[in-house]
Amino acid sequence: MPKKMNIVLMVVAFLFAGQALAQGQIAIVDAERAIYETELAKERLEAMKNNADVVANLKQGEALQKEFEDMVKKLQKDGAVMGAEQKAELQKKLQEKRADIEHIGKKLQTTQQELRRQLLSEMGEKAKVVISDIIKQDNIGLLLDAQVALHAGSGYDITAKVTQRLNENN
């Protein structure tokens, strides 16, 4: 009886394997990365970096960072001989500089996030259409978000193909 059971199990396994192959391939995609790597996204990112407000914020942030570092060095160098009042005043100024640096950093981050949201909004539907076309062309039976997959070989990733098609359509 065990030999018959093994044979039956092997036949069932082969049947399911054939059915799985008939379902199509498995692939992963990072749709956001595909959009952010398009030529349009790169152009917009470059334009944002060259925007007068962004350039001014970057310069101001760098200047504040330099001032902050100089103040830290002064505190380290002269802290032992400073009076308590001087030390407290310098520490207060350091906190103010740090707050200013963080504020500028948040402004720059918000600008970049807004650009990313715009790109996703503008190109999201195009990406869905492109992905749908690739699914049909490549006979993909299961498509996973690359961020969800724990592991996938590069041969399973269609992100570059999506980016290429998006570039062709713009």
Side-chain angles (χ1 to χ4, degrees):
M1 190 78 164
K3 285 185 178 181
K4 283 186 176 180
M5 187 61 122
N6 285 340
I7 293 172
V8 170
L9 288 175
M10 286 176 43
V11 169
V12 169
F14 282 121
L15 288 174
F16 282 120
Q19 200 173 24
L21 289 173
Q23 296 289 327
Q25 316 187 49
I26 298 171
I28 63 166
V29 67
D30 185 339
E32 286 184 21
R33 191 178 91 222
I35 290 171
Y36 297 148
E37 290 180 354
T38 61
E39 293 302 318
L40 177 66
K42 290 176 184 176
E43 289 170 9
R44 296 246 179 106
L45 184 60
E46 192 61 34
M48 181 197 73
K49 287 179 183 177
N50 293 326
N51 177 290
D53 290 339
V54 172
V55 170
N57 283 329
L58 283 170
K59 285 183 180 177
Q60 184 181 10
E62 289 170 359
L64 287 169
Q65 184 66 36
K66 173 92 172 83
E67 290 173 21
F68 180 82
E69 290 169 2
D70 290 345
M71 291 168 76
V72 167
K73 286 178 186 174
K74 180 177 179 159
L75 184 61
Q76 289 172 343
K77 179 182 169 194
D78 301 337
V81 294
M82 284 182 166
E85 216 174 274
Q86 285 179 311
K87 204 178 222 181
E89 181 66 27
L90 189 55
Q91 288 173 335
K92 181 182 174 190
K93 287 181 181 180
L94 278 168
Q95 289 175 343
E96 290 171 357
K97 290 286 181 210
R98 177 175 292 149
D100 290 344
I101 292 167
E102 287 174 4
H103 175 71
I104 289 173
K106 286 178 184 176
K107 281 172 53 175
L108 291 168
Q109 187 176 22
T110 300
T111 302
Q112 186 176 31
Q113 287 172 341
E114 181 58 32
L115 174 62
R116 288 179 174 266
R117 274 193 292 276
Q118 286 175 350
L119 286 165
L120 287 176
S121 173
E122 185 178 321
M123 298 184 72
E125 282 303 313
K126 291 177 187 176
K128 285 180 187 177
V129 170
V130 166
I131 290 169
S132 180
D133 289 346
I134 292 172
I135 288 170
K136 289 174 189 166
Q137 284 180 340
D138 292 357
N139 191 31
I140 296 172
L142 176 63
L143 181 64
L144 299 171
D145 185 317
Q147 310 223 347
V148 175
L150 294 177
H151 172 76
S154 60
Y156 290 96
D157 193 348
I158 63 166
T159 304
K161 189 182 272 190
V162 173
T163 299
Q164 178 186 2
R165 296 260 181 97
L166 286 170
N167 282 334
E168 290 169 0
N169 293 340
N170 280 332

